[in-house]
Amino acid sequence: MAALDDLPPLREVIAAHGLAARRSLGQNFLLDLNLTRRIARAAGSLHDHTIIEIGPGPGGLTRALLLEGAAHVVAIERDERCLPALEQISAAAPGRLTIIPGDALAVDMAALVSGPARIAANLPYNVATPLLVRWLETEPWPPFFASMTLMFQREVAERIAAPSGGKAFGRLAVLSQWRTEPEILFDIAPRAFVPAPKVTSSVVHFTPRAQPLPCDTQALERVTQAAFGQRRKMLRSSLQSLKLDTAALLDAAGIDPTERAERLDIADFCRLARLLP
Ligand code: SAM
């Protein structure tokens, strides 16, 4: 049985298992172990956590997480072609890798872990945002994970971390920053992937806030959907889709009705959400 260090290079693994990348599964593989180890280290302490990884593919980040000392990795992969390659890694790290075949969107991740956990993934771009929203909407909060370290297309990373007042500030920024402190750590150039995507990627680290401002998730969603659904309009117009007395709502929240959504901050949105019936 090979040790982790002795596993064949990922290029060979991909060739041996016929893992031609499929666009429909958002497959862009990272083959450089120095890079995947850098992402693994960015996740924080690993030896005392279970790491949930979405989309391990041929296992570049999975290997890195194990080599960097992760106590246990639970990896959810939809593409059955990748499973034999992942089994090889599991054999090289006995008892430290659990492979879960299937769609990550259909898995109850909280039920997979009993102790401290982190999430780390090079996410498939086609399900990256739905997965992130699901994690951010986890109940109860603080969630079952101590952090999330996730790779996105840079444009999505910028929307997550956008400050109030800018063009990128929208629903994703409000939800992300309400419940976590997101930080863009570093970029990864297209050439690092096989096949190379068209755009640059960014690694974002999310630290859950212990005590986010009190606010109901669904109410916050309703408010941000209305406000940013017509982001160029003044709030007195855009919020009319809530079918409430908009003037009274804005007055009660102490918000100028002629403001636009992107000029509000997280506390403003939470105040509005708390005032919804
Ligand atoms: N982690 C690998 C790496 O860094 O090289 C692969 C990353 S690739 C961007 C995304 C991976 O997610 C692919 O292996 C793909 O098969 C898998 N995937 C796509 N949709 C998925 C889903 N709904 N649930 C679980 N895995 C999925």
Side-chain angles (χ1 to χ4, degrees):
M1 184 173 62
L4 278 172
D5 280 324
D6 301 330
L7 286 168
L10 286 159
R11 246 175 230 290
E12 283 179 26
V13 172
I14 287 171
H17 297 281
L19 302 180
R22 289 198 179 142
R23 187 193 280 265
S24 61
L25 286 169
Q27 292 182 334
N28 299 95
F29 301 133
L30 281 175
L31 307 189
D32 177 353
L33 204 51
N34 288 323
L35 197 52
T36 49
R37 287 184 82 146
R38 185 173 176 211
I39 300 169
R41 285 194 298 274
S45 71
L46 299 172
H47 67 279
D48 46 1
H49 285 76
T50 294
I51 314 299
I52 298 182
E53 188 196 355
I54 311 304
L61 181 57
T62 321
R63 286 189 196 189
L65 289 163
L66 292 165
L67 283 164
E68 291 292 334
H72 194 149
V73 177
V74 178
I76 307 170
E77 174 56 61
R78 187 173 192 169
D79 185 353
E80 288 187 357
R81 297 178 308 158
C82 296
L83 301 181
L86 295 169
E87 292 295 350
Q88 264 188 331
I89 301 174
S90 179
R96 294 175 62 206
L97 173 60
T98 304
I99 304 156
I100 304 201
D103 178 358
L105 282 167
V107 174
D108 176 3
M109 294 182 209
L112 295 177
V113 290
S114 48
R118 298 185 188 277
I119 298 172
N122 170 11
L123 290 174
Y125 68 89
N126 42 350
V127 289
T129 309
L131 276 168
L132 174 64
V133 168
R134 177 168 298 200
W135 287 320
L136 292 170
E137 292 186 344
T138 297
E139 296 296 346
W141 196 273
F144 63 94
F145 48 87
S147 67
M148 301 189 280
T149 308
L150 306 172
M151 181 144 40
F152 298 93
Q153 298 182 341
R154 182 151 111 185
E155 177 264 333
V156 178
E158 282 169 354
R159 283 198 284 124
I160 289 166
S164 159
K167 264 202 190 129
F169 187 69
R171 292 171 68 187
L172 206 51
V174 174
L175 185 60
S176 301
Q177 296 171 33
W178 166 50
R179 279 196 149 171
T180 74
E181 290 178 72
E183 188 189 354
I184 299 180
L185 297 184
F186 50 89
D187 289 343
I188 299 188
R191 65 173 183 279
F193 298 85
V194 175
K198 288 202 177 67
V199 295
T200 297
S201 301
S202 302
V203 175
V204 186
H205 186 79
F206 300 77
T207 308
R209 292 184 193 277
Q211 290 184 308
L213 292 172
C215 165
D216 174 73
T217 316
Q218 298 313 320
L220 187 65
E221 278 285 336
R222 278 172 63 205
V223 171
T224 55
Q225 191 170 2
F228 290 108
Q230 304 184 65
R231 60 185 298 141
R232 285 166 188 275
K233 290 197 176 169
M234 293 179 195
L235 288 161
R236 68 178 175 211
S237 304
S238 59
L239 291 186
Q240 270 172 9
S241 62
L242 291 170
K243 310 234 181 307
L244 299 167
D245 182 342
T246 311
L249 177 68
L250 288 163
D251 185 48
I255 294 170
D256 178 351
T258 65
E259 276 297 11
R260 290 177 172 77
E262 67 190 34
R263 303 244 318 146
L264 302 192
D265 61 19
I266 309 292
D268 292 328
F269 281 108
C270 289
R271 249 185 357 270
L272 283 170
R274 282 200 299 274
L275 285 164
L276 292 195

